[in-house]
């Protein structure tokens, strides 16, 4: 990695290289990763990998995997422990770099680096467990065992909105379990990808165990990596991104009889019942809907409100959303920063007319921030940054496209319902099932919601977003294939169970056939004891 100064007043540019078979490779074609807060700031120059480079990375990862799997798991876990320590030491500079490259407010960027640290803390000790079982045999002189074995070479593809936390959710358990990985970081965050990989190597990971190939998605490194499954060079793909691309990954893995991990989009509901603490609920709704400018998989898409409190919720929401501080993500006081890229901004712009066409009305008309058109308290660069004010639709019905489709920007819908039954029906009324929330003081309503909501994650009196390193993270329906990240549950995704029997009988014993049934004792006659 090389660093070169810029002459436009912005910090230096990071020159990113692929790491293939343990070596940094000279770059042929590059692209610029620009800060979404200042488009003229070139944060990194990253390679556009060729298919041949991706193929070489996957092919050479096989031998590295075998050697790494022979390293005892507690020794592998020591690398994870050192990675956690390095992340702690570099937390502030990494967080600032995250803010600079993809626009997450610095407070949230620190949280996302902390999530990677927590993941290392959790899995460092998991290396001393990775337990198998001893299982009783139905035959004498025979022992049965189970062992966890690594899956092999894992292709990892990640999105740009959590450019360090989500890769850590995948790479930490995958490598701990004795797999090798070929990682394609998001093209929105190649610089963060390079810095994170560098920390792995500094932590003592043999460089060949983690290869990094940069580039775009369709017709780029992402697509090439998926194609390596058909060439027999990958044993698994772990993907975080859109449902559309997740389906492609699922199809390729399915025809090769491999199990992918798919963490995809969401259209997450937040229910406010009539008895809720409305201030608390609206604060949760704002954070869920507009935090990270709505660019979280767990962002709230539909606020589902009991009609008895809709007027109050409506008023509070408009008041508080209008007061949100938008601006430079490095500014400690901002509520949200810019769009991550032009693609997300354009989709958000188009969503406005889709909502109106379908019959929804604008309660708050969000717009792109441009010079001379800045909202009160705005602290960003309106000319060179991708900023927008919050959009709220009302009179939204669950069959409208804006209620069904993920937008990935600062926009949310108000959906009116009458009571808990209608609220649950609306909350389950999209193809997605990632996260969800309910605000109520009624214990029975909480219980029913927890039981009947079809999302993988549910909050009671808290927002739709937020994860902890030791809780399973993942969704159902169009949000994923049932795989889970984090905690002990993710170990299932990166290991295969092996069943072993050891027979010490010295003769051929056949289960089910050589069973010696003990003769049942004679049946006593109890009929005399009763009338
Ligand atoms: P995306 O699917 O376009 O891109 C994600 C990754 O896949 C990137 O690295 C990209 O380069 C690559 N990619 C894109 N097209 C590809 C293709 N045809 N073949 C192979 N790789 C390809 O996603 P995005 O729009 O950048 O990210 C936002 C999406 O990610 C949202 O839907 C969001 O909900 C989802 N997401 C989900 C989670 C989760 O844990 N469930 C977390 C973060 C983001």
């Amino acid at each position: 990695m090389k660093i070169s100064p810029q002459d436009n007043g912005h910090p230096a540019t990071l020159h990113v290289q692929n790491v293939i078979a343990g070596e940094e490779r000279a770059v042929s074609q590059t692209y610029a990763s620009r800060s979404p807060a200042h488009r003229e700031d070139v944060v990194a120059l990253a390679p556009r990998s060729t298919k041949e480079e991706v193929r070489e990375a996957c092919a050479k990862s096989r031998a590295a995997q075998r050697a790494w799997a022979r390293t005892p798991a507690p020794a592998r876990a020591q690398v994870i422990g050192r990675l956690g320590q390095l992340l702690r030491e570099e937390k502030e500079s990494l967080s600032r770099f995250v803010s600079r490259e993809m626009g997450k407010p610095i407070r949230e960027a620190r949280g996302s680096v902390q999530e990677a640290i927590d993941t290392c803390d959790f899995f460092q000790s998991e290396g001393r467990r990775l337990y198998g079982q001893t299982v009783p045999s139905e035959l004498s002189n025979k022992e049965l065992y189970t062992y966890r074995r690594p899956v092999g070479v894992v292709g990892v593809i990640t999105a740009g909105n959590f450019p360090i936390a989500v890769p850590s959710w995948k790479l930490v358990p995958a490598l701990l379990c004795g797999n090798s990985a070929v990682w394609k970081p998001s093209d929105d965050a190649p610089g963060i990808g390079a810095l994170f990989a560098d920390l792995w190597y500094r932590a003592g990971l043999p460089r060949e165990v983690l290869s990094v190939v940069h580039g775009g998605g369709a017709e780029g490194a992402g697509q090439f990596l998926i194609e390596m499954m058909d060439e027999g060079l990958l044993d698994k793909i772990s993907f975080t991104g859109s449902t559309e691309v997740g389906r492609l990954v699922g199809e390729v893995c399915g025809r090769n009889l491999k199990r992918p991990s798919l963490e995809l989009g969401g259209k997450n509901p937040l229910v406010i019942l009539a008895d809720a603490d409305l201030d608390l609920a609206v604060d949760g709704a704002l954070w869920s809907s507009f935090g990270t400018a709505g660019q979280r998989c767990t962002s709230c898409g539909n606020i589902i409100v009991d009609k008895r409190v809709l007027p109050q919720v409506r008023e509070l929401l408009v008041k508080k959303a209008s007061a949100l501080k938008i601006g430079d993500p490095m500014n400690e006081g901002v509520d949200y920063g810019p769009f991550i890229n032009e693609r997300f901004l354009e989709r958000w712009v188009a969503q406005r007319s889709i909502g109106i066409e379908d019959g929804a009305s604008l309660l708050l008309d969000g717009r792109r921030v441009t010079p001379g058109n800045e909202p009160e308290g705005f602290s960003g660069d309106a000319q060179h940054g991708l900023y927008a004010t919050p959009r709220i639709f009302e009179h939204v019905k669950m069959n409208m496209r804006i209620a069904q489709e993920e937008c990935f920007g600062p926009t949310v819908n108000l959906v009116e319902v009458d009571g808990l039954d209608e609220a649950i029906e609306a909350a389950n009324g999209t193809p997605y099932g990632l996260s969800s929330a309910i605000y109520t003081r009624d214990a029975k309503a909480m219980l029913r919601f927890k039981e009947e909501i079809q999302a993988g994650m549910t909050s009671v009196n808290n927002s739709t977003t937020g994860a902890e390193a030791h809780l399973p993270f993942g969704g159902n329906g169009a949000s994923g294939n049932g795989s889970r990240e984090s905690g002990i549950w993710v170990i299932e995704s990166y290991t295969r169970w092996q069943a072993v029997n050891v027979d010490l009988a010295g003769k051929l014993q056949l289960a089910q056939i050589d069973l010696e049934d003990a003769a049942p004792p004679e049946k006593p006659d109890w009929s005399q004891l009763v009338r």
Side-chain angles (χ1 to χ4, degrees), residues 364-416:
L364 203 61
D365 190 3
R367 55 183 157 72
R368 177 154 187 202
V369 177
T370 48
N373 190 17
E374 297 93 341
E376 209 185 310
F378 179 73
S379 63
D381 175 346
Q383 186 166 2
H384 301 108
L386 310 177
Y387 296 96
T389 58
R391 174 187 296 153
I392 304 175
F393 276 112
E394 63 176 343
H395 307 129
V396 176
K397 302 285 171 229
M398 285 308 296
N399 60 2
M400 292 180 182
R401 283 171 292 172
I402 55 165
Q404 293 290 313
E405 294 167 5
E406 183 186 41
C407 178
F408 222 58
T411 176
V412 74
N413 306 317
L414 270 180
V415 179
E416 179 183 329

Side-chain angles (χ1 to χ4, degrees), residues 23-73:
E23 292 167 7
E24 283 203 346
R25 289 296 169 87
V27 176
S28 41
Q29 258 205 320
T30 58
Y31 72 96
S33 166
R34 292 172 181 275
S35 171
H38 310 276
R39 286 322 249 170
E40 80 289 15
D41 174 14
V42 177
V43 181
L45 283 172
R48 284 197 193 284
S49 305
T50 63
K51 188 163 177 178
E52 195 40 56
E53 286 167 327
V54 176
R55 182 182 287 120
E56 186 190 350
C58 297
K60 294 204 168 146
S61 200
R62 177 77 56 198
Q65 190 270 319
R66 293 199 178 114
W68 179 240
R70 283 194 289 270
T71 306

Side-chain angles (χ1 to χ4, degrees), residues 128-376:
R128 293 194 178 269
R129 283 183 288 271
L130 279 187
Y131 295 145
Q133 295 112 347
T134 55
V135 179
S137 170
E138 59 191 49
L139 297 169
S140 310
N141 295 310
K142 192 174 171 194
E143 293 177 323
L144 306 181
Y145 305 97
T146 67
Y147 295 88
R148 286 191 182 278
R149 303 295 184 205
V151 171
V153 181
V154 181
V156 174
I157 302 175
T158 47
N161 62 338
F162 279 93
I164 191 155
V166 165
S168 81
W169 287 357
K170 295 176 182 305
L171 294 172
V172 168
L175 301 186
L176 172 80
C177 291
N179 303 285
S180 62
V182 178
W183 176 30
K184 207 294 278 179
S186 166
D187 30 329
D188 291 321
I192 302 163
L195 295 184
F196 188 41
D198 193 55
L199 289 185
W200 273 100
Y201 306 136
R202 277 163 59 189
L205 183 77
R207 292 175 82 91
E208 322 74 64
V209 173
L210 172 62
S211 294
V212 189
V213 287
H214 292 273
E219 294 172 31
Q223 183 182 319
F224 304 150
L225 188 54
I226 293 176
E227 286 169 358
M228 293 307 118
M229 174 61 76
D230 274 337
E231 295 195 16
L233 297 178
L234 295 178
D235 302 298
K236 177 182 177 77
I237 297 178
S238 183
F239 174 80
T240 291
S242 61
T243 300
E244 187 192 354
V245 180
R247 274 186 215 285
L248 296 178
V249 175
E251 282 163 18
V252 177
C253 290
R255 66 172 172 261
N256 286 283
L257 307 179
K258 306 287 190 205
R259 267 189 315 149
S261 291
L262 300 176
E263 300 299 339
L264 312 176
K267 188 78 191 177
N268 307 293
L270 182 145
V271 169
I272 304 178
L273 293 186
D275 69 331
D277 174 339
L278 296 187
D279 268 309
L280 180 70
V282 169
D283 284 346
L286 281 178
W287 170 248
S288 301
S289 311
F290 302 118
T292 326
Q295 298 163 111
R296 298 188 193 126
C297 53
T298 51
S299 291
C300 173
N302 295 316
I303 305 175
I304 297 164
V305 189
D306 189 290
K307 64 179 188 184
R308 290 157 197 84
V309 288
L310 185 62
Q312 298 97 298
V313 168
R314 194 175 171 275
E315 195 185 316
L316 271 175
L317 201 57
V318 171
K319 190 171 133 213
K320 293 192 179 199
S322 310
L324 286 172
K325 295 270 171 292
I326 303 160
D328 194 313
M330 299 302 283
N331 179 342
E332 301 278 349
V334 299
D335 291 306
Y336 71 83
F339 282 92
I340 297 170
N341 57 41
E342 280 82 1
R343 180 165 59 98
F344 296 159
L345 170 61
E346 282 159 19
R347 194 162 59 193
W348 176 87
V349 168
Q351 193 232 23
R352 184 179 184 278
S353 46
I354 295 176
I356 293 168
E357 254 172 52
D358 283 4
S361 1
L362 283 162
L363 179 60
L364 203 61
D365 190 3
R367 55 183 157 72
R368 177 154 187 202
V369 177
T370 48
N373 190 17
E374 297 93 341
E376 209 185 310

